[in-house]
Amino acid sequence: MKRTIGTCYYPEHWPREVWEEDARRMAEAGLTWVRIGEFAWSRLEPEPGGYEFDWLDSAIAVLGKAGLRVVLGTPTATPPRWMLDRHPDMLAVDAEGRPRKFGSRRHYCFSHEGYKAECAKIVTRLAERYGRNPHVAAWQTDNEYGCHDTTISYSDAARKAFRLWLRARYGGPGNDGDIGALNEAWGNVFWSMEYADFDDIDTPNLTVTEPNPSHALDYRRFSSDQVVAFNRLQTEIIRAHSDAPIAHNYMGRVTDFDHYKVGADLEIASWDSYPLGFLEDRVPASVERQRHYARQGDPDFQAFHHDLYRAVGRGRWWVMEQQPGPVNWAPHNPAPLPGMVRLWSWEAFAHGAEAVCYFRWRQAPMAQEQMHAGLLRPDSAEAQGLAEARRVAAELAEAPDVGVSPPSVALIFDYDAEWAWAIQPHGKGLSYFELVFDTYRALRRAGHSVDIIAPDHRRLEDYKLILAPGLMHMTGGLKSALAESGAVVLIGPRSGARDRTMRTPVPLPPAIPGLDATVSHVESLRPDSPVSLASGGTIRSYREFLETGAEVLERTADNEPAVVARGKLIYCAGWLDADAMFRLVQNLSARAGLGTLDLPDDVRCRDTGTERFWFNYGACEHTVQGRSLPPISVTRETLT
């Protein structure tokens, strides 16, 4: 696999006379990909049915003549103002019942049939015109599904679509739905919530207190399926006219829809990597950690998403937008330390990225993103990131191809579990994502390369160690597959705690074949009241009490079993702090016959088939296993 770099460009923002010079400078810097078009609907169709493609024809020709390959985006994330005159009810509605107004982006509801028809028209026009264009070498659908909390809408269009979705899900005679089956599944006898007809069912917002969790979970699943259908509408049109691969650019920690299901209709998964912005607004980190990594980003957050989107893309993935300097949208927006743009780029390549594209080519002098750095300043002088991108391009030219080296460690991430935890966290701030991320961080500290896998992944024999924390619902097939995988398997906490309809199952969880352990009751813990473990460290946030005859690997200070094992099956009955989690990873690794390291917080490593990469996020030198790692550095070693 050849690695390459690119950028995101907006020819509609700049005078026609600068396009050739821009293209020449891109190619001179070693860029090979240019994404365009994803926000240009008002210039492509300034009035209904009045298409203007000449400028885009010219832009693609200019870029292609310079030897650049184009990723053409569909513009459906930014419907023009005239669209609201045609479809005034197309706006998404938030949980408080307020429409998401025009004046920014992503102002549409995935369920609105009229808007989807408009999207089909513009995508068809683009696919017909550019599907065989030799310079259009890839496509991108829409832009950042779900960003700005735009997956879940409570509009009239969504309400109608949800009722149809429920009829299909709870099928009855004539496939018209069985309202009795829904009432039973949701437990609607509780609080007299029983329905006589599917048309009685509303969206689960603006209720007096919390809505029925089964209702809320089905609404999350419905909302995710609407994103999948919206994306599929576009991919089917593009494929009818083009053989080029199709991607979508996901975001960091946007988990309101199932990326695996969206990815099934795409050839490439991509994501938008903003390490400094994400550290400020979505990485689970203390204030001290935020301060320490304010100009570097968290050493594990980008890597987690690299591994997640490698799974979503079934091995093929890109960084479609890489932060090259300060951004504009986080609570605080420091500039990266010199060398960080290069480090972020190489870390993506170490995790298997085919391409890293920097956002954006030139910093915009207008509108919402004026303060978002690009590879060029608004006056077209070079910004900090361009020199580092140029260095990456030169290094890529000398680097060996990427060899495939599947990791021996797998970590399951399940979007359905994320929704179940969000609906019923049982304690303030408890989050499935953060539990999985804490587990991932411990694996990285131990020096492991990790595959993140979906819960329906069944090639489990490829792994020696599999970790499945917090899987609220576990199918019988998944339980059996884990038990029979031959790997050392960690399950829990809160695994198998609910059935498919969000009811507590009997027998009580986790009900894993071959594991003698039953959760008798649970508690969520105050932040100032962790439970000490006898071997050091604590259980924080969430704790389970076990009835078990299994071997006890860890006990609490009050002598309750905290981690138990039966053969290669291990159950963890609580959310462990960092020290206890790392100790458990060391134990599990030894059981699996895997060696471990104990890396400093600043240092991480990643293996490919041919190289081991060492990344030092720290502003000071580190020595690890006799090797010196300079500050803010990438160190590559050939594997033999």
Side-chain angles (χ1 to χ4, degrees):
M1 188 270 290
K2 295 288 186 182
R3 296 169 286 201
T4 188
I5 61 174
T7 192
C8 305
Y9 186 51
Y10 299 90
E12 68 272 23
H13 294 178
W14 311 109
R16 170 65 181 80
E17 54 267 24
V18 306
W19 293 0
E20 276 88 359
E21 176 66 8
D22 281 340
R24 183 194 65 77
R25 294 178 72 182
M26 291 175 193
E28 181 273 332
L31 306 179
T32 61
W33 287 99
V34 184
R35 186 193 67 180
I36 64 174
E38 79 278 9
F39 296 137
W41 199 337
S42 66
R43 290 297 175 93
L44 294 169
E45 191 180 4
E47 59 183 32
Y51 298 101
E52 295 185 4
F53 292 122
D54 289 351
W55 70 268
L56 186 56
D57 295 344
S58 180
I60 291 172
V62 166
L63 294 168
K65 185 178 180 180
L68 300 163
R69 290 176 287 178
V70 170
V71 181
L72 184 56
T74 66
T76 54
T78 53
R81 179 59 184 83
W82 58 256
M83 190 71 71
L84 267 70
D85 296 330
R86 289 169 71 95
H87 306 286
D89 59 344
M90 62 167 278
L91 298 170
V93 174
D94 72 11
E96 301 301 318
R98 300 169 299 198
R100 312 296 294 272
K101 293 169 60 177
F102 181 84
S104 182
R105 64 179 187 178
R106 301 216 53 77
H107 44 282
Y108 67 83
C109 175
F110 284 102
S111 296
H112 194 275
E113 294 298 329
Y115 181 62
K116 288 191 288 186
E118 299 283 2
C119 292
K121 290 179 187 177
I122 189 67
V123 173
T124 298
R125 289 285 187 148
L126 287 168
E128 288 174 343
R129 192 175 189 95
Y130 302 108
R132 303 300 174 187
N133 187 300
H135 304 310
V136 176
W139 294 81
Q140 177 188 292
T141 56
D142 203 86
N143 188 82
E144 296 178 348
Y145 290 143
C147 195
H148 318 302
D149 297 319
T150 53
T151 298
I152 302 172
S153 170
Y154 300 92
S155 67
D156 288 342
R159 179 184 300 108
K160 294 173 184 176
F162 181 49
R163 290 167 176 170
L164 294 173
W165 185 91
L166 291 172
R167 286 181 185 274
R169 184 174 182 83
Y170 297 94
N175 202 33
D176 190 38
D178 182 347
I179 196 65
L182 179 144
N183 282 323
E184 176 64 22
W186 287 7
N188 284 335
V189 65
F190 193 83
W191 285 356
S192 294
M193 295 182 293
E194 290 167 302
Y195 298 102
D197 190 272
F198 285 92
D199 288 340
D200 295 337
I201 300 172
D202 209 334
T203 57
N205 65 316
L206 297 176
T207 53
V208 174
T209 183
E210 65 181 289
N212 184 334
S214 300
H215 185 174
L217 182 57
D218 266 352
Y219 200 73
R220 292 260 184 158
R221 290 168 174 160
F222 152 76
S223 299
S224 175
D225 284 353
Q226 296 299 90
V227 179
V228 175
F230 184 87
N231 186 73
R232 184 175 297 148
L233 171 72
Q234 299 198 24
T235 60
E236 289 179 346
I237 293 169
I238 293 169
R239 283 207 182 87
H241 302 281
S242 175
D243 297 325
I246 309 172
H248 177 76
N249 59 327
Y250 306 102
M251 272 294 276
R253 200 176 176 178
V254 170
T255 54
D256 291 336
F257 64 94
D258 191 323
H259 295 49
Y260 301 122
K261 290 183 178 179
V262 171
D265 292 316
L266 301 166
E267 283 78 28
I268 299 170
S270 73
W271 81 289
D272 296 348
S273 176
Y274 291 95
L276 305 190
F278 290 159
L279 178 65
E280 295 289 344
D281 79 349
R282 67 196 67 187
V283 175
S286 66
V287 172
E288 292 76 15
R289 189 174 182 86
Q290 286 180 318
R291 184 185 304 116
H292 182 76
Y293 292 115
R295 298 184 184 278
Q296 301 102 301
D298 186 277
D300 298 308
F301 193 77
Q302 289 71 244
F304 178 89
H305 287 84
H306 296 339
D307 290 337
L308 173 62
Y309 293 129
R310 189 173 66 254
V312 170
R314 301 175 304 285
R316 292 197 68 186
W317 74 277
W318 296 14
V319 174
M320 192 64 81
E321 297 181 17
Q322 176 61 66
Q323 178 176 0
V327 298
N328 63 296
W329 43 263
H332 308 284
N333 297 288
L337 289 176
M340 283 310 307
V341 174
R342 171 178 175 261
L343 187 154
W344 295 329
S345 303
W346 271 110
E347 186 166 52
F349 291 128
H351 286 257
E354 296 179 11
V356 173
C357 300
Y358 304 98
F359 185 89
R360 52 192 285 159
W361 173 242
R362 184 187 289 105
Q363 185 173 345
M366 73 293 198
Q368 285 91 330
E369 293 181 352
Q370 294 179 54
M371 302 300 293
H372 194 305
L375 295 178
L376 301 184
R377 301 182 332 200
D379 64 357
S380 295
E382 291 192 10
Q384 172 188 330
L386 184 57
E388 295 190 33
R390 187 182 286 113
R391 181 179 176 186
V392 171
E395 291 171 337
L396 287 172
E398 302 298 325
D401 292 347
V402 178
V404 177
S405 178
S408 298
V409 179
L411 176 63
I412 297 177
F413 185 82
D414 179 19
Y415 289 93
D416 205 76
E418 165 76 356
W419 308 332
W421 276 73
I423 290 164
Q424 200 173 69
H426 192 59
K428 183 179 180 180
L430 296 192
S431 156
Y432 170 76
F433 178 94
E434 293 191 19
L435 173 66
V436 176
F437 186 64
D438 279 359
T439 307
Y440 182 82
R441 193 187 295 283
L443 292 168
R444 293 262 288 171
R445 176 181 168 187
H448 288 308
S449 297
V450 180
D451 267 355
I452 293 178
I453 61 175
D456 60 357
H457 185 102
R458 287 296 179 267
R459 298 187 307 279
L460 302 181
E461 67 277 3
D462 296 341
Y463 303 105
K464 295 181 179 179
L465 174 60
I466 302 171
L467 301 95
L471 290 177
M472 186 84 85
H473 170 62
M474 299 181 72
T475 65
L478 175 58
K479 291 179 179 180
S480 297
L482 290 171
E484 298 166 5
S485 67
V488 172
V489 177
L490 175 69
I491 300 166
R494 217 176 183 190
S495 293
R498 297 291 180 271
D499 69 9
R500 180 69 175 166
T501 64
M502 201 64 180
R503 297 167 67 116
T504 302
V506 176
L508 292 175
I512 304 295
L515 179 65
D516 179 13
T518 298
V519 176
S520 63
H521 61 289
V522 305
E523 62 178 357
S524 58
L525 304 171
R526 291 174 52 88
D528 58 3
S529 302
V531 175
S532 296
L533 293 166
S535 299
T538 66
I539 293 175
R540 70 176 188 89
S541 303
Y542 184 83
R543 180 191 187 186
E544 298 172 335
F545 293 83
L546 295 180
E547 297 171 350
T548 182
E551 174 190 3
V552 178
L553 303 183
E554 293 265 3
R555 289 187 180 274
T556 62
D558 56 3
N559 207 37
E560 290 288 339
V563 181
V564 300
R566 177 63 63 86
K568 291 187 174 184
L569 292 175
I570 292 90
Y571 190 83
C572 182
W575 190 324
L576 305 185
D577 70 7
D579 289 339
M581 190 68 227
F582 180 66
R583 184 173 64 246
L584 180 56
V585 163
Q586 288 179 308
N587 185 321
L588 299 174
S589 300
R591 287 171 173 255
L594 299 171
T596 58
L597 304 172
D598 187 357
L599 296 176
D601 281 349
D602 291 342
V603 175
R604 293 294 183 255
C605 65
R606 168 74 188 183
D607 289 345
T608 69
T610 54
E611 293 181 279
R612 169 165 288 181
F613 288 80
W614 295 91
F615 301 97
N616 182 4
Y617 273 71
C620 61
E621 180 178 303
H622 284 280
T623 300
V624 178
Q625 291 191 318
R627 65 178 57 78
S628 176
L629 305 176
I632 314 300
S633 65
V634 180
T635 301
R636 292 158 49 194
E637 297 175 345
T638 301
L639 294 175
T640 57

